[in-house]
């Protein structure tokens, strides 16, 4: 034993010596907030907290409101705001202690190992990707140029005010500032939009493929994830009202989790809705005149190119018959390893005419994606926030700055619409763009986008009086007679054709009810059924016909088969068939959503049988005993499930205790209504509460019980009415 300890001590000495001599650690910089303590004097803003802790931010100018919004959000979730900002700066690896990476970094520095072999969840990898995607370089190239109009001075002023709000909070609470966090500027806010928006159309999947052990798609040659939204117009409602459901499915926690806000300025910014940490605008919401809901769509907006590298000069690649030099730079990743000490690790960054380059054992690739040449996403979102009707709303999308997302729209005039927003590259139809593309020819190098007016699918004011979307094909958006046809759009756009269970259920209910009351509209949202046309129902139909008699474990398999045959497709918490059906179905069906082969049915049945028997003592426990919602002291049955309109989503397989724990799905959602006179009213709920991280706050989980009961709270848009439910009023910085 003594010999082992001595040997281990020797290793530690060697590592420490190498750490000091080879890596030259530096002290992580700290935030100096003295200059920001007087920020509040520049802004005329009031923050009114209602009894649920939701901030209602009132200001004279939009800048005042942005400042107050940032400060209020920081009060509730400063940690995630910092995480988001550090991510877009390419400095996420400084946020948490990185001491487990010390040995890896040492061996890399000494030439003894490989760093950054796979994307995974490593913050250092995220930092590398931010620099590989040239987020900061793209911003720096235009940040001082206002003449091109891509980002107006007003927008930049609003961003700067939002940054001031974060800086003030950081200055007042230095104990909550993470090492390496520096003062925030408008560029930091823009960088977040530039980096995060491509992730909504699945760019990370394209990158992840490249880090697999082998090439995953064929090379093309020339040849001849969840949300709900619906709206009904006066033509479909029982009382002549216009109704909108805003029901995005997001993670419960993290940089893409919803935070509820109400903003109103004397310059016409007047909305309630949800935003993300580090984001100065309402990302989906409503005001007196209109509202919109977003759902994620999945167009083909990114391409991977296979590059031919010069065998005599690895710094060159072939393009149009000639060798071109890679553009070469270095990414500098800072890793915090021991307390305040950090090391800097450098890695080459290559760029081709197509975009960022990935060198892998199975080839050298380049990536190109829609809007990688744009940095004005913030301008488009600000214009959406300030729109006063449909025409201005559409003009903001026509900027083609927001690369993807479905928009379901409704307004006080009774107009409803569905827009499959996407910025489609103009591609050569001779190639199959679902495959990897040859990178040695300009024929595959697209440099333009298809016009918004002709390329973007949309349904405006359908005769049927309803529109819907639940992450499904745009060719199922309303009644059959009013739907768009796939043949009207180019195959190069890569528009999805899949119908989710949620979209099937929306159509079945909206289409069947020609006079929808408020109560019926709510009931549709809380639907907990799988359609008989759903993939799960089809899978169960296949299982019913399978012969298990020759299997060694035939008895339990046949018992499970009989239970599945009797399952009524409900995910009510009391249902005794849902647990088995969902445990069997998820591992089989989910891979197909990502273009992979379906999972093994027999293996999935055996795993479900084993888990249910071990942890629940039976194959048919109540679904609510398996499907759990947890928050603080709350551990309650979750009444709903994956890909139903009452959506609760967890991992594909249960946790170690044999239960599913909801991690995303229904989060912040609203029911918005304009009556015959065009007057707006709304109800809504957040799955947790406004204090998204503070367990000591009364608003940490004060909405959770209401959420679980499938009830909602009123949204107070009028300040006079709000004051009847007020708990606090203050002026940040004063």
């Amino acid at each position: 034993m003594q010999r082992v300890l001595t040997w281990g001590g020797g290793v530690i000495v060697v590592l420490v010596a190498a750490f000091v001599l080879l890596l030259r650690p530096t002290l992580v910089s700290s935030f100096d907030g003295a200059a920001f303590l007087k920020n509040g004097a520049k802004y005329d803003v009031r923050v009114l907290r209602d009894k649920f802790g939701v901030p209602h931010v009132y200001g004279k100018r939009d800048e005042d409101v942005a400042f107050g919004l940032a400060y209020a959000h920081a009060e509730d979730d400063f940690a995630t705001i910092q995480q988001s900002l550090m991510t877009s700066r390419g400095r996420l690896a400084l946020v948490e202690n990185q001491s487990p990476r010390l040995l890896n970094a040492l061996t890399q520095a000494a030439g003894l190992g490989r760093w950054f072999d796979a994307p995974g969840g490593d913050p250092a990898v995220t930092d590398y990707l931010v620099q590989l995607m040239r987020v900061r370089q793209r911003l720096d190239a235009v940040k001082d140029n206002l003449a091109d109009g891509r980002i107006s001075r007003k927008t930049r002023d609003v961003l700067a005010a939002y940054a001031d709000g974060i800086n003030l909070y950081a200055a007042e609470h230095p104990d909550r500032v993470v090492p390496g966090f520096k003062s925030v500027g408008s560029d930091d806010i823009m960088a977040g939009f530039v980096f995060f928006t491509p992730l909504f159309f699945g760019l990370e999947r394209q990158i992840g493929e490249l880090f697999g052990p082998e090439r995953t798609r064929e090379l093309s040659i020339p040849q001849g994830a969840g949300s709900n939204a619906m709206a009904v117009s006066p033509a479909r409602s029982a009382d002549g009202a216009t109704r909108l459901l805003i029901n995005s499915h997001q993670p419960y926690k993290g940089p893409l989790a919803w935070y509820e806000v109400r903003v109103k300025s004397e310059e016409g910014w007047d909305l309630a809705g949800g935003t993300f940490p580090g984001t100065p605008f309402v990302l989906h919401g409503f005001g007196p005149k209109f509202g919109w809901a977003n759902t994620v769509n999945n167009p083909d907006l990114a391409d991977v190119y296979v590059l031919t590298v010069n065998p005599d000069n690895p710094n060159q690649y072939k393009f149009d018959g000639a060798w071109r030099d890679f553009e070469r730079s270095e990414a500098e990743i800072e890793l915090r390893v021991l307390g305040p000490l950090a090391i800097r690790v450098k890695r080459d960054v290559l760029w081709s005419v197509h975009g960022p380059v990935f060198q892998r054992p199975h080839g050298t690739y380049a990536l190109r994606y829609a809007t990688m040449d744009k940095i004005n996403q913030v301008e488009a979102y600000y214009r959406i926030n300030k729109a006063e009707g449909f025409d201005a709303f559409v003009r903001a999308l026509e900027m083609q700055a927001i690369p993807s997302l479905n928009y379901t729209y409704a307004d006080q005039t009774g107009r409803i619409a569905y827009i499959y927003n996407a910025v489609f590259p103009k591609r050569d139809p001779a190639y199959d763009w679902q495959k990897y593309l040859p990178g040695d020819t300009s024929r595959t190098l697209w440099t333009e986008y298809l016009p918004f007016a002709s390329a973007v699918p949309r349904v405006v004011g359908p005769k049927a009086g309803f529109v819907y979307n639940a992450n499904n094909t745009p060719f199922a958006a309303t009644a059959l007679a009013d739907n768009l046809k796939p043949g009207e759009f180019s195959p190069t756009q890569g528009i999805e054709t899949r119908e989710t269970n949620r979209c099937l259920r929306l159509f079945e209910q909206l289409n069947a009810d020609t006079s929808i009351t408020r109560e019926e509209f709510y009931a549709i949202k809380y639907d907990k059924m799988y359609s008989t046309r759903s993939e799960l129902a089809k899978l169960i139909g296949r299982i019913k016909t399978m012969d298990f008699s020759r299997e060694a474990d035939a008895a339990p398999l046949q018992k499970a088969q009989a239970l599945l045959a009797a399952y009524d497709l409900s995910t009510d918490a009391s249902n005794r068939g849902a647990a088995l059906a969902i445990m069997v179905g998820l591992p089989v069906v989910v891979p197909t959503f990502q273009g992979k082969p379906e999972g093994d049915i027999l293996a999935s049945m055996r795993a479900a049988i084993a888990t249910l028997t071990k942890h629940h003592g039976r194959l048919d426990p109540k679904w609510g005993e398996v499907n759990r919602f947890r928050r603080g002291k709350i551990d309650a049955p979750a009444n709903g499930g994956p890909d139903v309109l009452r959506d609760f989503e967890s991992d594909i397989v249960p946790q170690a205790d044999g239960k599913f724990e909801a991690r995303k799905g229904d989060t912040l959602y609203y029911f918005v209504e304009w009556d015959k006179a065009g007057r707006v009213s709304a109800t809504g709920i957040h799955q947790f509460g406004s204090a998204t991280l503070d367990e000591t706050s009364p608003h940490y989980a004060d909405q959770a019980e209401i959420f679980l009961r499938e009830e909602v709270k009123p949204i107070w848009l009028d300040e006079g009415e709000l004051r009847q439910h007020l708990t606090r009023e203050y002026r940040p910085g004063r």
Side-chain angles (χ1 to χ4, degrees):
M1 179 66 72
Q2 181 63 39
R3 185 179 307 165
V4 173
L5 288 174
T6 302
W7 182 85
V11 170
I12 292 173
V13 170
V14 170
L15 289 179
V16 171
F19 175 65
V20 174
L21 296 175
L22 292 176
L23 301 181
R24 298 180 181 178
T26 59
L27 287 173
V28 176
S29 61
S30 58
F31 177 77
D32 183 3
F36 303 102
L37 287 172
K38 297 182 179 180
N39 271 355
K42 297 190 297 184
Y43 299 100
D44 184 7
V45 59
R46 296 174 293 125
V47 177
L48 286 68
R49 296 272 186 171
D50 66 27
K51 69 178 184 179
F52 293 99
V54 175
H56 298 242
V57 186
Y58 290 84
K60 185 174 183 180
R61 305 168 301 154
D62 293 351
E63 291 91 332
D64 301 323
V65 170
F67 171 80
L69 169 59
Y71 189 90
H73 198 166
E75 290 181 297
D76 291 324
D77 198 356
F78 185 52
T80 309
I81 289 175
Q82 289 182 95
Q83 180 188 18
S84 179
L85 291 169
M86 294 293 275
T87 297
S88 60
R89 287 172 169 173
R91 292 294 181 265
L92 186 60
L94 286 175
V95 173
E96 298 178 358
N97 191 291
Q98 303 293 321
S99 55
R101 306 182 200 287
L102 177 57
L103 180 60
N104 186 298
L106 285 169
T107 54
Q108 169 66 19
L112 301 177
R114 294 180 60 84
W115 175 68
F116 191 71
D117 279 333
D122 192 329
V125 174
T126 302
D127 292 348
Y128 175 78
L129 291 177
V130 170
Q131 296 179 66
L132 181 66
M133 293 166 65
R134 292 185 171 183
V135 171
R136 288 289 166 169
Q137 293 93 318
R138 288 153 58 191
L139 287 171
D140 289 343
V142 298
K143 68 179 182 179
D144 296 323
N145 181 12
L146 296 174
D148 60 14
R150 283 185 281 183
I151 301 178
S152 69
R153 171 56 70 186
K154 181 67 171 179
T155 300
R156 292 170 190 254
D157 289 344
V158 169
L159 299 182
Y162 183 85
D164 278 347
I166 296 172
N167 289 330
L168 174 61
Y169 183 86
E172 293 177 345
H173 302 84
D175 57 315
R176 300 183 183 181
V177 178
V178 298
F181 184 80
K182 299 179 181 179
S183 61
V184 184
S186 58
D187 288 358
D188 293 306
I189 311 304
M190 287 190 284
F193 282 85
V194 171
F195 178 68
F196 282 112
T197 50
L199 303 184
F200 281 94
F201 62 77
L203 184 65
E204 75 283 358
R205 292 195 300 271
Q206 302 271 16
I207 295 172
E209 281 185 5
L210 299 179
F211 286 91
E214 58 186 21
R215 187 175 298 175
T216 58
R217 281 187 270 171
E218 297 177 4
L219 183 67
S220 175
I221 59 175
Q223 51 180 281
S227 303
N228 306 327
M230 61 175 170
V232 296
S233 73
R236 201 77 178 185
S237 66
D239 54 2
T242 302
R243 295 190 169 91
L244 172 68
L245 170 68
I246 303 172
N247 187 197
S248 168
H249 297 158
Q250 292 298 121
Y252 285 175
K253 302 176 183 179
L256 298 180
W258 287 122
Y259 180 73
E260 184 176 8
V261 299
R262 163 76 170 114
V263 294
K264 185 173 183 179
S265 79
E266 295 178 19
E267 293 182 334
W269 191 9
D270 190 0
L271 293 172
T275 190
F276 292 152
T279 303
F281 304 121
V282 172
L283 298 180
H284 75 171
F286 65 96
K289 297 182 179 181
F290 75 98
W292 76 99
N294 285 127
T295 56
V296 171
N297 55 6
N298 191 32
D300 179 12
L301 303 183
D303 294 308
V304 174
Y305 297 84
V306 179
L307 302 184
T308 302
V309 177
N310 188 345
D312 299 321
N313 183 353
N315 294 317
Q316 294 182 325
Y317 64 100
K318 182 177 287 187
F319 187 75
D320 280 350
W323 296 113
R324 287 198 179 196
D325 291 335
F326 286 112
E327 294 181 44
R328 185 179 294 272
S329 60
E330 278 188 333
E332 185 176 86
I333 313 300
E334 290 186 276
L335 305 175
R336 187 160 62 91
V337 289
L338 294 173
L341 296 179
I343 59 173
R344 290 185 174 90
V345 180
K346 295 184 178 181
R347 183 171 175 84
D348 286 342
V349 171
L350 300 183
W351 193 275
S352 74
V353 68
H354 314 85
V357 173
F358 300 81
Q359 293 177 306
R360 305 300 299 152
H362 44 77
T364 299
Y365 306 90
L367 180 67
R368 192 169 186 81
Y369 57 92
T371 69
M372 64 182 289
D373 57 337
K374 295 176 179 286
I375 49 86
N376 57 340
Q377 292 85 359
V378 289
E379 182 73 23
Y381 278 106
Y382 185 32
R383 292 188 187 185
I384 286 174
N385 274 225
K386 294 298 294 286
E388 294 190 352
F390 185 70
D391 292 342
F393 185 88
V394 172
R395 283 196 298 271
L397 296 179
E398 287 175 340
M399 292 175 61
Q400 294 190 303
I402 302 173
S404 65
L405 293 176
N406 295 297
Y407 284 82
T408 298
Y409 173 96
D411 64 29
Q412 65 180 173
T413 71
R415 174 178 279 175
I416 62 173
Y418 162 72
I419 302 173
Y420 182 90
N421 177 64
V423 182
F424 295 106
K426 187 176 182 180
R427 293 162 165 150
D428 186 339
Y431 290 86
D432 182 350
W433 295 87
Q434 300 301 309
K435 298 179 180 179
Y436 288 166
L437 285 306
D440 60 357
T441 172
S442 55
R443 288 188 63 188
T444 60
L445 181 66
W446 48 265
T447 58
E448 302 176 54
Y449 300 112
L450 297 177
F452 180 93
S454 59
V456 171
R458 72 184 92 175
V459 176
V460 180
K463 294 180 181 179
F466 69 89
V467 292
Y468 65 90
N469 187 266
N471 311 114
N472 56 281
T473 177
F475 307 124
T478 184
L480 297 179
D482 294 328
N483 271 328
L484 301 168
K485 304 296 186 293
E488 298 170 350
F489 301 89
S490 169
T492 67
Q493 294 176 247
I495 299 173
E496 67 265 40
T497 58
R498 177 174 174 262
E499 293 189 73
T500 60
N501 173 72
R502 288 168 290 117
C503 103
L504 294 172
R505 290 297 295 158
L506 282 172
F507 173 76
E508 290 165 1
Q509 295 175 92
L510 289 168
N511 192 60
D513 191 344
T514 58
S515 182
I516 300 172
T517 66
R518 178 185 301 164
E519 293 72 24
E520 290 168 337
F521 193 74
Y522 279 44
I524 293 172
K525 184 271 158 298
Y526 290 118
D527 180 75
K528 303 172 189 66
M529 297 296 295
Y530 288 105
S531 170
T532 55
R533 297 186 292 148
S534 68
E535 291 165 332
L536 181 64
K538 293 175 182 177
L539 173 63
I540 291 173
R542 290 162 57 194
I543 292 174
K544 288 164 62 175
T545 66
M546 295 175 69
D547 182 6
F548 300 114
S549 61
R550 297 184 181 181
E551 302 295 335
D553 52 348
L557 286 170
Q558 290 172 335
K559 182 178 180 180
Q561 182 182 41
L563 288 170
L564 290 172
Y567 176 48
D568 64 359
L569 302 179
S570 170
T571 60
D572 186 271
S574 63
N575 191 281
R576 288 194 175 276
L580 177 63
I582 291 170
M583 280 190 184
V584 171
L586 286 179
V588 176
V589 173
V590 168
T592 66
F593 301 166
Q594 303 168 349
K596 301 176 182 178
E598 72 173 18
D600 184 274
I601 296 176
L602 193 56
S604 187
M605 288 187 67
R606 285 175 170 143
I609 290 168
T611 297
L612 291 169
T613 302
K614 176 181 178 180
H615 294 284
H616 302 279
R618 56 192 297 168
L619 297 185
D620 61 344
K622 291 182 179 179
W623 174 231
E625 297 172 2
V626 179
N627 195 40
R628 309 299 292 179
F629 175 95
R630 292 167 175 160
R631 175 69 164 178
K633 297 179 180 179
I634 298 173
D635 186 348
N639 202 9
D643 199 24
V644 296
L645 291 171
R646 180 51 163 168
D647 190 77
F648 285 90
E649 300 178 38
S650 55
D651 297 330
I652 295 178
V653 295
Q655 296 184 323
D657 62 358
K659 298 178 181 180
F660 291 107
E661 179 179 347
R663 301 178 187 273
K664 60 181 180 178
D666 274 0
T667 48
L668 173 64
Y669 57 86
Y670 296 100
F671 297 97
V672 188
E673 179 176 303
W674 290 269
D675 65 15
K676 286 183 178 180
R679 294 170 299 204
V680 68
S681 61
T683 58
I685 199 70
H686 190 284
Q687 84 282 1
F688 291 156
S690 63
T692 49
L693 285 185
D694 184 4
E695 296 186 34
T696 66
S697 170
H699 305 301
Y700 180 69
D702 61 334
Q703 296 186 51
E705 294 286 1
I706 305 171
F707 172 80
L708 289 170
R709 292 196 302 266
E710 299 182 359
E711 298 174 0
V712 288
K713 61 182 177 65
I715 308 301
W716 297 295
L717 296 177
D718 177 73
E719 183 177 347
E721 187 178 13
L722 167 65
R723 288 192 172 277
Q724 301 175 38
H725 309 278
L726 200 61
T727 59
R728 184 185 175 205
E729 180 177 358
Y730 56 101
R731 298 170 70 87
R734 298 192 181 186

